[in-house]
Amino acid sequence: MNTKSAFLKMVLFTLLSGTSFAQQTHWRFDFGAEKGLKGYVHVLPETSFESNGQYGFDFGSVVQAVKYSGKKAFPGSGIKSKKPFYFSAAVPEGNYRVTLTMGDANDATASTVKAESRRLMLAEVKTKQGEFVTKTFIVNIKNRNIAAGQMVALKPRELTKLDWDDKLTLEFDGHTVLKTMELTKVDDQITVFLAGNSTVVNQDDEPWASWGQMIPRFFKPGVAIANHAESGLTLGSFIGSRRLSKILSIMKPGDYLFIEFGHNDQKEKGAHDGAYQSYTERLKTFVAETRKKGGIPVIVTSTSRRSFDQEGKIQNTLGDFPDAARKVAAAENVALIDLNAMTTSLFNAMGEVQSKKAFVHYPANRYPGQDKALADNTHFNPFGAYEIARCVVLGIQQQKLGLVKYLINDLPTFDPAQPDDPMSWRWPESPKSSLIKPDGN
């Protein structure tokens, strides 16, 4: 199949999202060459989603069977690959509890698991030779459909994003040996909806990343992260593309809406635009509409850009927008996560040179087809996105939100003024990369 045909097939697949034949909400898979567990769908290494249409290895993944011996609790075999591999299952919209059994009787393993558009779910889960572990996390699956036949107005670049298709896709990186997988739709999770721009969205391709795709790693089951952000959006275009309507159509009482805008709003120059005019009014609309649904709004100030003054300190490039967000939060009695202040502290602590390691700054030839250096002072790489997600988690703790009890048990303390060492941080890169900047700046 040529590239154009594959693209058209994907677009059609996306447009039919929510109306596909696949409505199964519970899957149990057992992997490998030999059938193992009773009551599980046996998945052979050659089972592909493209040929099956309901489940299978995806995007050309090549895996091989790993035989186990002497493990009565894990009969049969598992699978592994020399490269990152993908597995997909067709499911309808909703929150899914994903339970994985991983490990190898013959070797030690180290697994990083991402979901959909590179959402970090598990980071470097290690097992010793002969050890098996079971890990559980929650993945949100969304589609474009809204009530009364309306749909979210996606940008062309979103039509091929894994976040918007009608299947659940997991990416396995590092030295993963996968034995079993169980997917179950669950309706009892608190859903944290994210509304924002390119600093929040799940970025599909290396080396781009945002905090919204890193934050799932910090939550236990009980919370689902539903990221509806998209690059280039303002509060107004988020509403105009019916993304707020989509969120409100599926929001339950007790769910949250985190709202971070400003980078693109500051470029709107109409007579009624500005931090204390349309921006303030629209923020209040987000707050009011969320509360009507019984939801809990949280205002997040915009991440700082990497812009240093002559004294080597971060300077404000966002004008009055962070201040306006703070004022709305105070006036409306809304929890505020002051990400602008925290990222200013973070980048100051890193310094002008070291802070490049948090942004998309790479020399030429780092990625395929890259004949020029990449130098972007707004958009983050995976390390920067991870650090900012840690800032958001710190904000959740400082605001004493009800979400605190769902944070992972082994959560380390964090201070933006003392960032992690980028040289000791590990991120197995996904196969796809792009030199195209996300919309917005």
Side-chain angles (χ1 to χ4, degrees):
M1 182 182 295
N2 61 37
T3 303
K4 184 176 180 180
S5 298
F7 175 79
L8 291 174
K9 180 178 179 181
M10 178 64 78
V11 171
L12 180 60
F13 195 62
T14 303
L15 291 174
L16 293 175
S17 176
T19 60
S20 126
F21 63 88
Q23 291 298 309
Q24 189 161 335
T25 58
H26 183 207
W27 292 99
R28 301 170 82 192
F29 300 108
D30 179 43
F31 298 94
E34 300 174 8
K35 190 171 183 179
L37 298 175
K38 188 176 181 180
Y40 284 66
V41 176
H42 183 217
V43 181
L44 295 168
E46 60 268 25
T47 303
S48 73
F49 184 87
E50 184 176 4
S51 61
N52 184 295
Q54 290 188 297
Y55 62 85
F57 298 103
D58 216 346
F59 308 112
S61 298
V62 177
V63 300
Q64 64 186 84
V66 179
K67 290 188 177 182
Y68 299 155
S69 59
K71 289 286 176 181
K72 292 183 180 179
F74 298 97
S77 59
I79 54 96
K80 67 178 182 179
S81 178
K82 295 180 180 179
K83 298 180 179 180
F85 65 93
Y86 296 86
F87 184 85
S88 298
V91 295
E93 183 175 62
N95 294 323
Y96 287 82
R97 183 174 63 241
V98 179
T99 302
L100 307 175
T101 301
M102 300 178 291
D104 189 358
N106 310 310
D107 199 1
T109 69
S111 306
T112 293
V113 181
K114 304 167 194 171
E116 299 288 280
S117 294
R118 292 168 64 238
R119 308 177 207 167
L120 182 60
M121 311 309 298
L122 300 174
E124 282 201 297
V125 176
K126 297 181 179 181
T127 65
K128 300 175 183 178
Q129 180 182 352
E131 180 184 11
F132 293 84
V133 296
T134 298
K135 295 290 182 180
T136 301
F137 51 84
I138 305 297
V139 176
N140 173 265
I141 297 297
K142 64 187 180 186
N143 64 36
R144 298 174 61 184
N145 300 326
I146 312 173
Q150 289 191 317
M151 299 182 78
V152 176
L154 300 183
K155 294 185 175 186
R157 66 191 295 167
E158 293 181 271
L159 293 174
T160 56
K161 287 190 70 168
L162 300 186
D163 273 358
W164 286 109
D165 63 18
D166 55 356
K167 57 184 176 179
L168 192 162
T169 298
L170 297 179
E171 175 189 330
F172 296 90
D173 300 301
H175 179 42
T176 299
V177 179
L178 178 63
K179 169 57 185 166
T180 66
M181 176 189 302
E182 184 169 4
L183 313 175
T184 305
K185 190 172 185 291
V186 284
D187 298 322
D188 58 349
Q189 305 295 293
I190 296 170
T191 302
V192 178
F193 295 95
L194 307 183
N197 51 35
S198 59
T199 65
V200 186
V201 67
N202 299 328
Q203 301 283 5
D204 258 8
D205 303 323
E206 302 287 354
W208 315 93
S210 300
W211 68 259
Q213 67 197 102
M214 298 296 176
I215 203 165
R217 181 261 181 276
F218 298 104
F219 282 98
K220 299 180 290 189
V223 166
I225 305 295
N227 194 344
H228 287 251
E230 177 51 35
S231 299
L233 295 185
T234 64
L235 284 165
S237 57
F238 195 91
I239 294 171
S241 55
R242 297 184 287 278
R243 296 169 201 262
L244 180 59
S245 295
K246 171 63 182 181
I247 290 172
L248 296 173
S249 73
I250 53 178
M251 178 178 280
K252 309 183 306 297
D255 287 345
Y256 287 75
L257 176 62
F258 281 44
I259 312 155
E260 189 217 310
F261 289 92
H263 287 81
N264 303 305
D265 304 73
Q266 72 175 151
K267 292 177 280 189
E268 296 181 332
K269 302 300 181 184
H272 192 60
D273 289 322
Y276 301 116
Q277 297 187 77
S278 62
Y279 180 78
T280 290
E281 291 173 6
R282 288 166 181 161
L283 264 182
K284 289 180 177 180
T285 296
F286 274 64
V287 169
E289 293 301 314
T290 300
R291 284 174 166 165
K292 284 180 185 177
K293 294 289 294 186
I296 303 167
V298 177
I299 291 177
V300 183
T301 57
S302 300
T303 55
S304 174
R305 295 187 179 94
R306 184 185 167 274
S307 179
F308 287 84
D309 61 21
Q310 292 182 342
E311 282 72 45
K313 297 296 183 182
I314 286 290
Q315 56 189 346
N316 177 30
T317 65
L318 286 153
D320 293 328
F321 285 84
D323 180 66
R326 296 179 190 114
K327 282 182 165 59
V328 172
E332 300 297 318
N333 194 26
V334 173
L336 175 77
I337 295 178
D338 200 345
L339 198 52
N340 183 262
M342 285 192 278
T343 52
T344 297
S345 177
L346 180 73
F347 303 147
N348 278 332
M350 290 180 175
E352 191 166 358
V353 175
Q354 187 80 340
S355 61
K356 291 181 180 180
K357 290 182 167 55
F359 289 81
V360 178
H361 275 256
Y362 294 92
N365 303 313
R366 174 65 175 79
Y367 292 95
Q370 182 204 345
D371 58 356
K372 297 178 182 178
L374 292 172
D376 188 309
N377 294 312
T378 298
H379 299 112
F380 312 109
N381 63 16
F383 170 71
Y386 187 86
E387 293 295 280
I388 294 165
R390 296 198 68 184
C391 290
V392 176
V393 170
L394 177 61
I396 290 170
Q397 294 171 308
Q398 291 173 336
Q399 291 294 311
K400 299 180 180 179
L401 300 180
L403 298 171
V404 167
K405 66 181 180 180
Y406 295 102
L407 294 172
I408 56 175
N409 296 329
D410 57 347
L411 182 69
T413 57
F414 181 71
D415 180 355
Q418 295 180 316
D420 296 320
D421 179 4
M423 301 307 293
S424 63
W425 190 75
R426 299 289 178 265
W427 171 263
E429 289 198 332
S430 300
K432 283 180 59 186
S433 63
S434 174
L435 305 181
I436 301 174
K437 279 188 176 185
D439 292 345
N441 199 349

